[in-house]
Amino acid sequence: MNRTPSSAAPTREQTDAVPGAGLDGGSSLSNGLKQRHLSMIALGGVIGAGLFVGSREGIAAAGPSIVLAYAISGALVMLVMRMLGEMAAASPASGSFSVHAERSIGSWAGFTVGWMFTALLCVAVAAEALGAADIMTAWFPGTEPWMWVLLFMVIFTGTNLAAVSNFGEFEFWFAALKVAAIGIFLVLGLLAIFGVLPGTDAPGTAHLTGDGGFLPKGVDGLMVGLLASVFAYGGLETVTIAAAESKDPVRGVAGAVRTAMWRIALFYVGSMAIIVTVIPWNNASIAEHGPYVAVLNYLHIPAAGQIMNVVILVALLSAMNANIYGSSRMAYSLTFRGQGPKFLNKVSGGVPRRAVLLCSAFGFLAVLFSFWWPTTVFQWLLNMVGAAVLVVWGFIAVAQLRMRRRLERESPEKLVVKMWAFPVLTWVALAGIAAVLLLMLRDDNQRIQLLFTAGFGVALAVVGVARQRALRKNAGTEPAKG
């Protein structure tokens, strides 16, 4: 029997792979996303500001071994995405892994991972808006950051309040520009490595082994680089949320997940390999301008710095747009399932507009916190979600372990996408997540984030368990119906 959000027991209805179907009431959302939108959303999720900007810290810590660090963390992300793809293809829902965690582990798990992910995306919106505003104020010195933040928030709140196809179109063109930029970079880098590009000599392996060796700072440096690379992969999860609003969610998510593997290898591992092969890893220009600008300047590409600033700006705006979308859909899914305030459980024109406004408002409020209390409240917010992506991945792995067994018994035909070497690689992924968490404990800055995130997660779990017990108690005291 299907239940409404106000029912005494958590939602447990069976879902079918139809447009918008899901435990979370996705049927009332639109199905305006096309296959090309999903493909580019997956691509856009791979290529983010973390790659263009954040990789400089990883290179500084690991040297040439940053290639190995990105390969290891990329392999972990591939496993997580494969697990998520298996569940999303079997049961598409706008709540994605929160719905799967609720069904496979318990309502407390869906509550915990869902609201943690929503908070993560809302704080990320604020961080990305601030980063984009910094670029704009550098271009227009007479302006104030808050002006640009307000403008960006209004634009992307508007695109998300409109039909979901608008969000899809914005992400399609944003991702197309990022793909073109990274593609051109890879081609230029390869030409330089082979000495084909005018004015360059083939470097061979000189920079890979000649500037302190492949591991210039030893295994410890590799571990720091590994931590830096893991968090650069955040954002891939959004495609499984978006798939529930496509005309063919099963085919869409299956295709996006299957091609995510070579995208990770090409864009992340490939670009890192080109950077540390073309120029020395300890080149001062990497720390000053960023690795991509440093390589383009070395290759004498005119206006390299401004070109990359445009690409980074697009990456930040793309992430803002995607995170408002993802947070609003997750918040709507949670409230539809009775896991949040009921006033968000409204859809108009196929869009959960109240959830969009709430998530946008929270993001803008976080920006104000960055102006008012940058070292206290805003830093606390950043710390609270600092390791949230690892928590999400952990819930995905546990949910997949349990859901796969149930699907094999009850609905084997829904296993359109299968996790490789199940359950061995699922356990390998869980071990990898645990290893990253242990690495965070070794680093002072990362340890603070881990502790804050753990505290936030425990608080959510306590509330979730209390709610679950209360629902069970109420369900047990209700008179029998019929």
Side-chain angles (χ1 to χ4, degrees), residues 200-449:
T200 62
D201 297 319
T205 61
H207 299 315
L208 292 175
T209 59
D211 302 305
F214 187 71
L215 287 162
K217 297 187 178 181
V219 176
D220 284 344
L222 174 62
M223 296 300 102
V224 175
L226 181 62
L227 285 177
S229 64
V230 164
F231 296 103
Y233 286 109
L236 278 167
E237 304 87 358
T238 304
V239 70
T240 61
I241 296 174
E245 292 186 74
S246 66
K247 290 181 172 61
D248 191 349
V250 175
R251 185 171 68 90
V253 75
V257 168
R258 283 171 178 154
T259 56
M261 315 325 149
W262 67 263
R263 291 167 183 159
I264 289 172
L266 180 64
F267 295 136
Y268 276 86
V269 182
S271 60
M272 289 300 108
I274 283 175
I275 289 166
V276 296
T277 302
V278 171
I279 59 175
W281 67 271
N282 52 5
N283 189 308
S285 183
I286 292 179
E288 183 179 356
H289 302 295
Y292 291 83
V293 175
V295 170
L296 293 176
N297 282 335
Y298 175 81
L299 299 179
H300 308 295
I301 304 300
Q306 291 306 319
I307 292 171
M308 285 310 303
N309 273 336
V310 171
V311 175
I312 292 168
L313 177 64
V314 168
L316 289 166
L317 297 181
S318 171
M320 278 186 66
N321 190 36
N323 289 340
I324 291 174
Y325 170 84
S327 60
S328 65
R329 279 4 182 227
M330 184 62 76
Y332 165 72
S333 169
L334 288 161
T335 56
F336 183 90
R337 291 178 278 136
Q339 302 269 30
K342 293 181 181 179
F343 77 90
L344 295 178
N345 180 25
K346 300 292 180 183
V347 174
S348 175
V351 176
R353 293 195 169 109
R354 293 183 182 181
V356 169
L357 289 172
L358 178 69
C359 294
S360 298
F362 185 89
F364 189 69
L365 184 62
V367 170
L368 295 179
F369 288 158
S370 75
F371 292 134
W372 297 336
W373 304 294
T375 59
T376 52
V377 177
F378 186 64
Q379 189 60 49
W380 295 339
L381 286 175
L382 291 175
N383 286 336
M384 276 172 32
V385 299
V389 69
L390 293 171
V391 176
V392 170
W393 292 354
F395 273 104
I396 289 171
V398 175
Q400 190 267 339
L401 272 174
R402 299 172 68 100
M403 185 173 176
R404 173 65 174 269
R405 297 298 191 196
R406 180 177 59 79
L407 287 172
E408 287 176 337
R409 292 193 311 269
E410 301 174 5
S411 308
E413 72 280 0
K414 290 187 176 182
L415 288 170
V416 179
V417 178
K418 288 187 178 182
M419 177 61 180
W420 305 300
F422 177 83
V424 175
L425 288 183
T426 301
W427 284 108
V428 169
L430 276 169
I433 294 166
V436 174
L437 291 171
L438 290 175
L439 286 176
M440 290 185 73
L441 284 173
R442 297 179 62 216
D443 183 271
D444 292 339
N445 293 328
Q446 300 278 1
R447 188 185 307 119
I448 293 173
Q449 288 189 355

